[in-house]
Amino acid sequence: MTNIEGILFDGKLLEALSPQVFGHVASVEGARLRIAGLGGLARLGDRLLIAPERKSSVYAEVLGAEGRDVIGYAFGSTTGITVGARAELKKAAAIARPSAQWLGKVLNWRGQAGDHQKLLDGDCPQPLDARPLPAAHRRPMGRRLATGHAAFDTFLPLCRGQRIGVFAGSGVGKSSLLGALAAQVEADVCVYALIGERTREVRGLADHAREKGFLDRTVIIASTSDEPALAKRDGARLALATAEYFRDRGDHVLLVFDSLTRYAEAHREVALARGEPPSLQAFPPSTVGALAALVERSGPGAGKSSDITAIFSVLVAGSDMDEPVADMVRGLLDGHIVLDRTIAERGRFPAINVRRSVSRSLPAAASVDENKLLTEARKLLAAYESAELMVRSGLYLAGSDPTTDRAISIWPSLDAFLGRSGAVAADYWFDELRRIVGPTD
């Protein structure tokens, strides 16, 4: 029997003339489902509608096959799903249809507005799992962008097309910093992804964007901490697809992605359900590849396409920069910004530890004189931090070392400088830094 079926996926009603195909649930293990009767018919990535005749029906994705059975992983709770329940095969393409009408909206991982009403989709389909642009055709990073923060605009410059990571533990000002950068960094469009974050942050971000006047150029895509792993994964993929859509139409896109850690954890959950072997802290070997595939979709454009400047956050448990996700991600990005709990606890925000942070746009992003000034300032920061314990305990004798004496004298001003912000040009910050550091010859 043939009928017209409507396949709802990512907010798009796909019309297809095809027979209805059903299997049945053979076993339920949490969100993992074994489906019998679809061997040779279901493909990896296909969707399954479990118990379509019930109000408690749930979508699942085909992750693999075991013998003649296929393995599905549910997008929602499997409570109420029984062995023998019907499983309808939905051969839906993994695409999104971003539109300029998405600007100013808060969307879920399906591309639907917060009230779950369908949006008017665009005419240009974007694959959720697109391959990165060819490396040989990409442009180099572009000019330095003003961020409104003294530490970034001097020691840790952000350039057009650069991908940086903000590494932070909980409660050290990560969300506030990301929101400030989204407001200040020059871009035509901002795509802000909240993956696995708290639900109240979604409303808080929308209110912040409205207050600061950048909501109209922003698309917020949220898949919060209470949602299943597949929803977080597809929310992340939708954010990149949306950024690529605006990039390909010629807009410079600022992608703020919070956080890569939650995306990696979602990938781990799905990969383990697929049968991959666990490795360090149960992250399977495929995690590095999944993170690289996501991160590489941002960056400089090629040909007529514009650029995606990306800021990814990474949560570091216990402020351990060597924990697995942080260790994987550092090598994939063009710089890492470390937020330090000790600095936050004494009240300086953003709590950036400049000595542990790196922007790989340097030295190219600064002039010869600016690089000389930054080198001198870093030397003085290192000298003070090396002697800090002796200074605070009263054991350091003035005159013991000229460099340390100088570092101690300028430390209050230099530390205050690193916490300053304002809508000024980078040249202003360099002039202020030069005034504090003094001669570099």
Side-chain angles (χ1 to χ4, degrees):
M1 178 179 178
T2 302
N3 75 313
I4 299 287
E5 60 171 315
I7 303 173
L8 183 63
F9 180 69
D10 291 327
K12 183 64 179 178
L13 186 65
L14 304 179
E15 297 294 336
L17 185 63
S18 62
Q20 287 182 287
V21 178
F22 295 96
H24 67 272
V25 176
S27 67
V28 182
E29 303 170 17
R32 190 176 190 267
L33 306 166
R34 181 186 292 271
I35 311 296
L38 296 179
L41 298 172
R43 304 166 299 178
L44 292 180
D46 279 349
R47 264 35 175 191
L48 303 167
L49 183 59
I50 311 300
E53 71 283 0
R54 297 174 50 179
K55 288 184 178 180
S56 59
S57 62
V58 62
Y59 271 96
E61 180 176 314
V62 176
L63 297 184
E66 293 181 3
R68 297 293 297 171
D69 296 341
V70 300
I71 303 303
Y73 201 74
F75 275 88
S77 172
T78 56
T79 300
I81 301 298
T82 62
V83 171
R86 286 202 304 171
E88 184 178 355
L89 180 62
K90 300 284 192 180
K91 291 183 179 292
I95 61 171
R97 294 181 180 271
S99 162
Q101 295 189 35
W102 286 20
L103 293 169
K105 303 289 195 307
V106 178
L107 310 178
N108 65 12
W109 60 273
R110 294 185 180 94
Q112 297 171 313
D115 57 2
H116 300 292
Q117 297 298 311
K118 288 187 295 182
L119 295 176
L120 180 60
D121 294 335
D123 297 324
C124 183
Q126 297 285 137
L128 289 180
D129 53 356
R131 293 185 60 82
L133 295 173
H137 297 162
R138 284 190 159 186
R139 294 184 289 274
M141 285 188 290
R143 62 180 178 82
R144 185 168 62 196
L145 299 172
T147 67
H149 290 276
F152 280 98
D153 290 351
T154 52
F155 291 93
L156 305 165
L158 174 65
C159 291
R160 179 166 170 151
Q162 190 172 357
R163 299 167 297 200
I164 65 168
V166 175
F167 293 69
S170 59
V172 295
K174 169 184 63 69
S175 298
S176 297
L177 176 59
L178 295 178
L181 291 172
Q184 290 285 351
V185 175
E186 176 191 346
D188 300 311
V189 171
C190 176
V191 176
Y192 205 120
L194 288 167
I195 308 301
E197 295 300 307
R198 298 182 299 277
T199 53
R200 73 168 183 81
E201 286 195 44
V202 180
R203 176 61 182 269
L205 174 62
D207 290 344
H208 171 74
R210 188 177 295 108
E211 178 186 342
K212 296 298 182 181
F214 68 98
L215 182 61
D216 289 345
R217 63 176 177 89
T218 300
V219 180
I220 300 172
I221 296 172
S223 181
T224 52
S225 58
D226 60 312
E227 295 191 282
L230 284 174
K232 295 170 189 172
R233 184 206 63 182
D234 277 11
R237 295 162 71 191
L238 177 61
L240 268 297
T242 304
E244 289 164 339
Y245 163 76
F246 286 105
R247 176 201 66 192
D248 292 344
R249 77 171 198 171
D251 294 320
H252 172 216
V253 180
L254 175 67
L255 171 67
V256 182
F257 191 104
D258 189 14
S259 71
L260 275 181
T261 303
R262 301 306 186 211
Y263 172 75
E265 290 170 350
H267 171 80
R268 174 177 63 187
E269 184 176 332
V270 175
L272 293 178
R274 192 163 46 215
E276 292 189 32
S279 185
L280 189 62
Q281 289 190 15
F283 285 102
S286 63
T287 304
V288 177
L291 288 168
L294 189 79
V295 167
E296 286 293 340
R297 291 172 65 179
S298 60
K304 295 182 179 179
S305 68
S306 190
D307 309 307
I308 301 175
T309 303
I311 304 170
F312 297 94
S313 77
V314 182
L315 296 172
V316 287
S319 300
D320 179 11
M321 284 291 291
D322 294 321
E323 62 92 28
V325 176
D327 201 36
M328 294 179 213
V329 169
R330 272 200 306 273
L332 301 175
L333 300 175
D334 304 317
H336 53 273
I337 313 302
V338 179
L339 302 187
D340 192 308
R341 187 174 303 280
T342 302
I343 296 175
E345 287 173 347
R346 61 179 171 80
R348 195 254 279 166
F349 293 96
I352 298 172
N353 187 321
V354 171
R355 288 192 64 202
R356 299 180 65 193
S357 302
V358 171
S359 171
R360 290 180 177 151
S361 62
L362 286 177
S367 67
V368 173
D369 288 341
E370 288 170 344
N371 277 309
K372 186 183 296 185
L373 175 63
L374 294 175
T375 300
E376 182 69 15
R378 280 184 175 271
K379 183 178 76 172
L380 294 171
L381 279 171
Y384 178 82
E385 290 178 14
S386 297
E388 183 176 15
L389 184 59
M390 295 180 64
V391 171
R392 293 189 180 279
S393 61
L395 298 176
Y396 179 76
L397 295 177
S400 301
D401 178 70
T403 301
T404 303
D405 290 342
R406 185 177 167 207
I408 293 171
S409 69
I410 71 167
W411 167 250
S413 297
L414 186 54
D415 185 59
F417 171 82
L418 295 174
R420 291 180 62 184
S421 60
V424 297
D427 290 345
Y428 171 84
W429 295 127
F430 274 106
D431 289 342
E432 288 293 290
L433 183 59
R434 192 172 288 107
R435 181 183 60 78
I436 294 168
V437 172
T440 57
D441 295 326

